[in-house]
Amino acid sequence: AQKVTQAQTEISVVEKEDVTLDCVYETRDTTYYLFWYKQPPSGELVFLIRRNSFDEQNEISGRYSWNFQKSTSSFNFTITASQVVDSAVYFCALSSGGYQKVTFGTGTKLQVIP
Amino acid sequence: DTGVSQDPRHKITKRGQNVTFRCDPISEHNRLYWYRQTLGQGPEFLTYFQNEAQLEKSRLLSNRFSAERPKGSFSTLEIQRTEQGDSAMYLCASSLGRNSGNTIYFGEGSWLTVV
């Protein structure tokens, strides 16, 4: 069984603030992949990043960074200097046990206020 | 580069009618998924295909739902005798499977409203 928990339902920040979206996952498998997706108001889910369970290096891509910690089963996502265009629902997801299906969290709605 | 395409994008139907959604995956992708998403929720897995074989179905997929991928390319999701509870966005996604860490790419979704 695999499970993803995103405890933050909604977050509001003022433009240019930094914001961190939390993700906690559960799996009995030692090999798995973690993902983040963005769903803007238009509705299409956009893939942002994939990490495998053997690579705990943090990753930075522009204003986005991801912190993967196996010890706490967390895969958190930080947006630096947030912009209005970052307003969206962000989903954390997990694929394990043969990588057959991807299980999503319930999402965190981020509102960036100008 | 053609992404996942879904048709129709929006469908309004009367309760009891049948509806069918079509999905065309990214051309080289051998896995195809159907998910359902309701307002305020994350995508919920319904079923997936490896080529033309349907390998897993969620308990969410009642007997009124059927999915096919006849030639391992496009897929259809049919809902028979629709109910108001079927109102949701139906998402199709595809992937290369293990070779890509099962990264799935979504289409724009098909919104279903049952009145």
Side-chain angles (χ1 to χ4, degrees):
Chain A
Q2 50 188 37
K3 183 179 177 182
V4 176
T5 301
Q6 295 180 257
Q8 303 152 308
T9 306
E10 287 193 43
I11 300 176
S12 289
V13 298
V14 176
E15 202 171 18
K16 297 184 183 177
E17 287 185 347
D18 299 346
V19 58
T20 296
L21 310 181
D22 298 333
C23 172
V24 174
Y25 62 92
E26 295 177 32
T27 178
R28 287 189 286 253
D29 295 293
T30 56
T31 305
Y32 50 88
Y33 285 92
L34 294 161
F35 310 85
W36 276 95
Y37 286 81
K38 175 181 180 180
Q39 189 172 41
S42 59
E44 184 173 356
L45 278 151
V46 177
F47 166 71
L48 294 178
I49 190 171
R50 176 186 80 233
R51 304 295 286 171
N52 75 53
S53 51
F54 297 110
D55 183 1
E56 285 193 76
Q57 273 193 328
N58 292 331
E59 181 153 342
I60 298 174
S61 175
R63 296 185 296 106
Y64 295 171
S65 62
W66 291 270
N67 183 301
F68 175 29
Q69 292 195 332
K70 288 177 78 170
S71 60
T72 55
S73 296
S74 65
F75 185 44
N76 296 336
F77 174 26
T78 297
I79 301 174
T80 303
S82 59
Q83 299 176 1
V84 173
V85 293
D86 296 327
S87 297
V89 181
Y90 291 87
F91 292 97
C92 181
L94 166 69
S95 181
S96 64
Y99 317 117
Q100 291 173 344
K101 71 180 183 185
V102 181
T103 298
F104 286 79
T106 51
T108 298
K109 183 177 181 180
L110 174 65
Q111 185 177 17
V112 181
I113 303 165
Chain B
D1 180 27
T2 304
V4 178
S5 63
Q6 293 188 243
D7 184 69
R9 294 289 318 284
H10 301 273
K11 179 74 176 179
I12 300 174
T13 190
K14 291 183 178 179
R15 190 175 55 185
Q17 297 292 306
N18 298 344
V19 297
T20 299
F21 300 111
R22 176 182 169 122
C23 172
D24 288 272
I26 294 171
S27 59
E28 65 268 26
H29 285 187
N30 53 13
R31 287 192 181 181
L32 186 147
Y33 297 79
W34 286 99
Y35 281 78
R36 181 171 70 187
Q37 186 179 22
T38 53
L39 282 175
Q41 298 296 315
E44 295 174 297
F45 171 80
L46 293 179
T47 188
Y48 99 97
F49 293 83
Q50 175 88 22
N51 300 312
E52 66 274 12
Q54 188 174 18
L55 296 186
E56 187 174 346
K57 292 195 290 186
S58 163
R59 283 174 290 180
L60 291 175
L61 215 62
S62 77
N63 291 340
R64 297 183 296 105
F65 288 70
S66 62
E68 293 183 343
R69 194 183 183 196
K71 296 183 179 179
S73 56
F74 73 92
S75 175
T76 57
L77 176 68
E78 181 184 16
I79 309 173
Q80 296 182 327
R81 304 181 303 282
T82 51
E83 302 173 356
Q84 286 187 322
D86 297 331
S87 295
M89 181 162 67
Y90 290 86
L91 292 160
C92 180
S94 68
S95 82
L96 281 169
R98 286 175 180 257
N99 292 339
S100 67
N102 205 28
T103 302
I104 61 175
Y105 297 90
F106 285 91
E108 293 176 301
S110 293
W111 281 100
L112 173 65
T113 303
V114 181
V115 297

